[in-house]
Amino acid sequence: MFLVQYTADNSRALNVDSTAMALPMSDPTAWATAMNNLGMAPLGIAGQPILPDFDPALGMMTGIPPITPMMPGLGIVPPPIPPDMPVVKEIIHCKSCTLFPPNPNLPPPATRERPPGCKTVFVGGLPENGTEQIIVEVFEQCGEIIAIRKSKKNFCHIRFAEEYMVDKALYLSGYRIRLGSSTDKKDTGRLHVDFAQARDDLYEWECKQRMLAREERHRRRMEEERLRPPSPPPVVHYSDHECSIVAEKLKDDSKFSEAVQTLLTWIERGEVNRRSANNFYSMIQSANSHVRRLVNEKAAHEKDMEEAKEKFKQALSGILIQFEQIVAVYHSASKQKAWDHFTKAQRKNISVWCKQAEEIRNIHNDELMGIRREEEMEMSDDEIEETTEAKETEESALVSQAEALKEENDSLRWQLDAYRNEVELLKQEQGKAQREDDPNKEQQLKLLQQALQGMQQHLLKVQEEYKRKEAELEKIKDDKLQVEKMLENLKEKRQLLGSFEDIYKENGRNSVPAEGLWKERSDEASESAMICPTRSTSPAFSFTTENCASRLCAANQENDYPLEKTMNGSPIKSEREALLVGIISTFLHVHPFGASIEYICSYLHRLDNKICTSDVECLMSRLQHTFKQEMTGVGASLEKRWKFCGFEGLKLT
C-alpha cells in the first residue's frame, strides 16, 4: 500500500512501508540513525507529526505493522509512479538480513528493455557470504519463486511464477543489504535488479499469444456465423414427380415465388433436354400467365392511389373552406363596429391570429393550386397523346395484328417442334425395344402424323396471312407518305399565294381591279387545291398560278406603265420576265437601301426553284431605267447592291 506524504519543503513523498513479515524490530536504533542520516523525518506540511501516537524512536505506530507491496498475499502490481514525484523508500527487515533504502536524491537505477513475457530477473551486487537461503528469504516476499540459478560471482537469476512479481522484485533495486548486524565488507552489498531474457519465458509467452490468437479467431468466426444471413433452402433435383409439384405451385399465387425460383434453378442447372422440354415449356407458360395478374394488381394499386389523391384533394378543399370562414370572422371582427369594443390586448391577439390564419390559408391554397396545375398538365399531355394516337391508329392496329400473328406463328412452331421431339423419342424407344409394333402404337403414330400435317398446313396459312398483312402495312405506309408530301406541296402553294397577296397589298401603285383579280384567282386556286389535293402538283395548277401572275403583271403595266407598252423595242421578252420584274420591283421598293443579287434570288427561289441568278441579273441589267447597281461599303465590306429607280426612270422616259 502506497502512502502519499508531504515533506517539510511541501513536496509529495510516496512512502512504501516495509517489513513484509510481522517480526519485532531487532535494531530500532540503527533504523532511526539511517533515517536521520538520509534526512527523512516523518513530519507533515507544517513540521508537525503526521500521527499523534507516532513513536519517533521506533518510526512506526505502536502495535500496527506497516503495509507494503512486499507483504505476502498482496497480489497486485503497484501503480506507475509519476516521474516528477520523489519516491521515499524505507528500511526492510528480514530474519537474517536488513535492506537499507538508497538515497532518494540519486536517479533511479537503469534497466534494460523488458522482454516479452518476462518472469526472470537478474540480481547483482549480492554479498560474498550471501547464500541461496538468504536470497529466497529476501525475494520470496515478491511472489512464488520457481527456480534460482546462483553464480559464484555474486549474482543470480530468479524465475518467478507470474510476470507482475518481476515488478515487485525491481522495487528492491538499489537497496543496500547487510547480513545480520555485521559491518564486514563480505556481509554487505548493493542490490541491482534488472530484467533477464530467458528462453522459457519467451516460449511460454509465445504459447500464450497463440492461445489468445486462437481464441480471437474462434470468437470472430462465431460472430461471423451469427451475423451471416441464413442460407436458402436447397433446391430439389429434377424429376417427373417434382416437376408436377412445381407445376401445381406455379398455378397458386401464394406459392408462385418459390416455384419460380425452383424452375430458374433447374433451367440454369441444364435440366432441359428433349424429353423434358414439353414439361418445362408448360411451366414457363404457367409463369407467363401470371403477367396479366401482376398488371391487374398494378392497375388496382394505381387506382387506389388515384382515389387517395382525390380524397386528399377533397379534404384539403374542405380545410381551405374552413380557413376562409375563420379569416372572414377575423376580418368582420376587425371592422370598426366591433373593433372599438375590444381591449388593446384583445385587438393585438386578434391581429396576430388573423395574420397566422392567412399565412396558413395561403400555404394550403398554393398546395391545392399546385395539385390542380399538375392535373391540368397531365390532362394536356393525355390530349396530345390522344391526338398522336388517333393519327397512328390504323398503323398501330396493323402492327399489333402483325405481332399477334407473329406470336401465334412462333407458338405453332414451338408446338410443331415439340411434336417432332415426341415422334423422335417414340421412334428411339421403338428401336431400343426391338419388338414388333403394336396396333395401338401404329394408331398413335398415325394420329401424330395427321396432327403434324394439320399443324404444318395451319402454319403455312398463318405465314401467308402474315406476309399479306405485312404487304398491306407497307402499302399503307407508302400511301401515308404520299399524302404527307401532297399536304406539304399544298402548304407551299398556299404560302406562295399568300406572299403574292402581301406583296401587292404593300405596293401602293397597284390598282383596285388588279387586286380584285389577284384575290379572285388566288381564291380559285386555293379552292381547287382544297377540293383536289392531287392537282397541287400538276402542271395545270402551276399554269393557273403563272397565268394569274402574268395577268396581274399585264394589268399593272397597262395602268402604271403605258409608255413602255407602246415602245417598239421592249427589253422584256416574255410574260415570265414581266412577272419577275414586278416581283423584283416590289421587293426592292420595300428595301430602299438596295439588296444584293444573292438576297434577291434567295427570295425568288422561295417562289420558284428554277429561277437562275444569271438570268435575273441579265434582266435587271437590260432595264437601266428601272434598276440601277451601286457599290456600297468600304474595304473588305465592299458590296454590289441593286436599287429600284423606276420613279426617276419614268420621269426620264
Side-chain angles (χ1 to χ4, degrees):
M1 182 175 181
F2 293 87
L3 298 176
V4 179
Q5 297 179 353
Y6 291 87
T7 59
D9 55 352
N10 296 337
S11 63
R12 292 184 298 176
L14 185 65
N15 292 345
V16 184
D17 295 334
S18 59
T19 67
M21 301 174 63
L23 298 173
M25 188 173 292
S26 61
D27 193 1
T29 307
W31 181 84
T33 304
M35 293 296 292
N36 292 329
N37 292 334
L38 294 175
M40 296 186 297
L43 299 176
I45 297 176
Q48 300 295 330
I50 297 176
L51 299 175
D53 54 351
F54 184 77
D55 187 0
L58 299 177
M60 63 180 66
M61 294 176 59
T62 57
I64 301 177
I67 300 174
T68 67
M70 312 301 297
M71 183 175 290
L74 190 63
I76 60 171
V77 179
I81 301 171
D84 57 345
M85 179 183 294
V87 179
V88 178
K89 298 181 179 180
E90 296 185 355
I91 297 175
I92 300 175
H93 294 275
C94 298
K95 185 175 182 180
S96 58
C97 64
T98 305
L99 300 176
F100 296 93
N103 189 356
N105 296 325
L106 295 177
T111 57
R112 62 179 294 180
E113 184 179 359
R114 182 167 187 160
C118 179
K119 296 181 182 179
T120 305
V121 294
F122 166 82
V123 181
L126 295 172
E128 292 183 6
N129 295 331
T131 61
E132 187 174 342
Q133 183 179 1
I134 294 174
I135 297 172
V136 171
E137 182 182 348
V138 172
F139 286 95
E140 70 178 355
Q141 305 172 32
C142 301
E144 182 184 356
I145 297 174
I146 296 178
I148 296 178
R149 294 189 296 273
K150 188 175 181 301
S151 175
K152 297 180 181 180
K153 295 183 179 181
N154 302 330
F155 70 90
C156 69
H157 289 85
I158 303 173
R159 189 164 187 263
F160 293 98
E162 299 295 337
E163 294 183 19
Y164 70 89
M165 300 175 183
V166 174
D167 298 315
K168 291 183 178 182
L170 289 176
Y171 179 78
L172 300 176
S173 182
Y175 270 80
R176 186 168 54 87
I177 184 172
R178 187 178 68 182
L179 302 179
S181 58
S182 175
T183 58
D184 190 5
K185 187 176 181 181
K186 294 183 178 181
D187 294 334
T188 61
R190 186 171 297 276
L191 298 178
H192 174 70
V193 184
D194 197 357
F195 299 108
Q197 188 171 3
R199 287 177 293 180
D200 295 340
D201 297 343
L202 182 61
Y203 175 74
E204 290 182 2
W205 180 80
E206 290 177 350
C207 292
K208 185 177 180 180
Q209 294 299 318
R210 284 194 290 269
M211 182 184 68
L212 294 175
R214 285 195 298 270
E215 291 178 356
E216 181 66 18
R217 286 196 301 269
H218 178 70
R219 186 187 63 80
R220 290 182 181 178
R221 192 180 300 110
M222 295 298 292
E223 188 69 18
E224 290 177 357
E225 290 179 357
R226 187 178 66 83
L227 297 177
R228 185 182 296 119
S231 59
V235 179
V236 297
H237 292 281
Y238 175 80
S239 64
D240 294 337
H241 177 67
E242 295 294 338
C243 178
S244 61
I245 294 174
V246 171
E248 292 297 329
K249 288 183 179 180
L250 284 171
K251 297 176 182 178
D252 190 359
D253 296 344
S254 59
K255 301 178 181 179
F256 175 72
S257 300
E258 179 185 356
V260 163
Q261 187 64 33
T262 305
L263 176 60
L264 177 62
T265 306
W266 285 349
I267 294 174
E268 290 179 351
R269 284 179 182 174
E271 301 287 349
V272 183
N273 51 33
R274 287 188 176 182
R275 188 177 188 84
S276 61
N278 293 331
N279 296 332
F280 275 97
Y281 177 76
S282 62
M283 288 189 288
I284 293 171
Q285 193 172 8
S286 300
N288 185 42
S289 64
H290 286 269
V291 173
R292 184 176 298 175
R293 175 182 64 83
L294 297 175
V295 171
N296 293 334
E297 288 182 0
K298 180 185 175 184
H301 289 305
E302 289 178 351
K303 186 178 179 181
D304 294 340
M305 186 177 66
E306 293 296 332
E307 291 178 355
K309 283 183 178 180
E310 190 66 26
K311 289 180 181 179
F312 173 71
K313 188 173 68 173
Q314 292 176 1
L316 194 60
S317 301
I319 292 170
L320 189 60
I321 291 170
Q322 295 179 10
F323 270 117
E324 292 288 347
Q325 294 173 354
I326 294 171
V327 171
V329 169
Y330 289 144
H331 286 307
S332 299
S334 300
K335 293 181 180 179
Q336 190 172 4
K337 183 189 293 185
W339 188 255
D340 295 338
H341 299 286
F342 295 115
T343 62
K344 189 175 181 180
Q346 291 173 348
R347 292 176 186 174
K348 185 177 180 181
N349 290 336
I350 291 172
S351 301
V352 172
W353 294 340
C354 182
K355 187 176 180 180
Q356 292 177 354
E358 286 180 350
E359 290 178 356
I360 298 173
R361 179 198 62 183
N362 293 333
I363 292 171
H364 284 75
N365 194 9
D366 293 340
E367 188 174 358
L368 184 61
M369 292 301 293
I371 294 172
R372 291 178 179 173
R373 198 178 299 113
E374 289 178 358
E375 289 180 354
E376 290 176 358
M377 291 176 66
E378 290 178 359
M379 297 227 5
S380 62
D381 294 340
D382 294 339
E383 290 177 358
I384 293 171
E385 290 177 358
E386 286 177 0
T387 54
T388 54
E389 288 176 358
K391 293 180 181 179
E392 298 178 358
T393 303
E394 296 180 358
E395 184 177 356
S396 62
L398 291 172
V399 170
S400 61
Q401 290 180 4
E403 290 179 354
L405 289 172
K406 189 175 181 181
E407 290 179 358
E408 187 178 357
N409 185 11
D410 294 337
S411 64
L412 291 173
R413 188 179 301 164
W414 293 334
Q415 291 180 7
L416 183 61
D417 293 338
Y419 283 125
R420 285 177 179 173
N421 293 334
E422 289 183 359
V423 171
E424 290 179 0
L425 287 172
L426 288 173
K427 287 181 179 179
Q428 290 176 2
E429 290 177 356
Q430 184 179 7
K432 289 179 182 178
Q434 292 181 358
R435 58 187 179 182
E436 296 180 356
D437 296 337
D438 297 334
N440 294 329
K441 289 188 176 180
E442 290 181 358
Q443 188 176 2
Q444 289 179 359
L445 286 174
K446 288 180 181 180
L447 291 174
L448 287 174
Q449 289 177 357
Q450 290 177 1
L452 184 62
Q453 291 176 359
M455 293 293 293
Q456 288 178 350
Q457 293 177 0
H458 187 61
L459 180 61
L460 292 174
K461 290 180 181 180
V462 170
Q463 288 179 352
E464 291 177 359
E465 188 175 357
Y466 176 68
K467 291 179 180 178
R468 183 172 58 79
K469 292 290 184 180
E470 281 186 346
E472 291 179 359
L473 181 61
E474 293 293 333
K475 185 177 179 182
I476 289 173
K477 286 183 179 179
D478 295 338
D479 294 342
K480 184 179 178 181
L481 291 175
Q482 290 179 3
V483 170
E484 289 179 353
K485 289 181 180 179
M486 290 165 63
L487 288 173
E488 289 178 359
N489 293 330
L490 179 59
K491 288 179 181 179
E492 291 178 359
K493 295 299 180 179
R494 289 178 63 85
Q495 290 177 0
L496 176 63
L497 295 174
S499 61
F500 274 120
E501 186 176 355
D502 293 338
I503 290 170
Y504 282 99
K505 279 183 179 180
E506 291 177 0
N507 189 4
R509 297 181 296 102
N510 291 338
S511 61
V512 176
E515 290 181 357
L517 178 62
W518 176 251
K519 288 181 180 179
E520 181 182 356
R521 298 298 183 181
S522 62
D523 293 339
E524 291 177 358
S526 62
E527 288 177 0
S528 62
M530 292 297 291
I531 292 170
C532 184
T534 55
R535 290 175 56 190
S536 61
T537 56
S538 62
F541 181 78
S542 61
F543 176 76
T544 304
T545 307
E546 199 170 345
N547 190 14
C548 179
S550 63
R551 288 183 182 180
L552 178 59
C553 182
N556 291 337
Q557 288 177 359
E558 288 177 2
N559 294 328
D560 297 334
Y561 304 103
L563 295 177
E564 286 187 9
K565 184 178 180 181
T566 56
M567 292 178 64
N568 294 327
S570 176
I572 299 173
K573 299 179 181 179
S574 63
E575 292 182 359
R576 179 180 176 81
E577 290 182 355
L579 179 60
L580 287 175
V581 170
I583 295 172
I584 296 169
S585 301
T586 307
F587 179 79
L588 292 177
H589 182 62
V590 298
H591 293 80
F593 296 100
S596 62
I597 188 66
E598 290 81 9
Y599 188 21
I600 296 170
C601 291
S602 66
Y603 177 75
L604 294 175
H605 284 163
R606 293 169 57 188
L607 306 178
D608 189 3
N609 295 328
K610 299 179 181 179
I611 295 174
C612 182
T613 305
S614 58
D615 296 339
V616 174
E617 190 173 7
C618 181
L619 175 62
M620 295 174 67
S621 301
R622 292 202 303 267
L623 300 173
Q624 298 179 359
H625 294 289
T626 307
F627 308 103
K628 64 179 180 179
Q629 190 177 21
E630 294 182 355
M631 301 293 289
T632 59
V634 179
S637 63
L638 194 63
E639 185 181 13
K640 293 181 181 181
R641 291 194 175 187
W642 288 90
K643 291 186 177 181
F644 177 74
C645 60
F647 298 111
E648 293 85 358
L650 182 62
K651 295 177 182 179
L652 294 175
T653 55

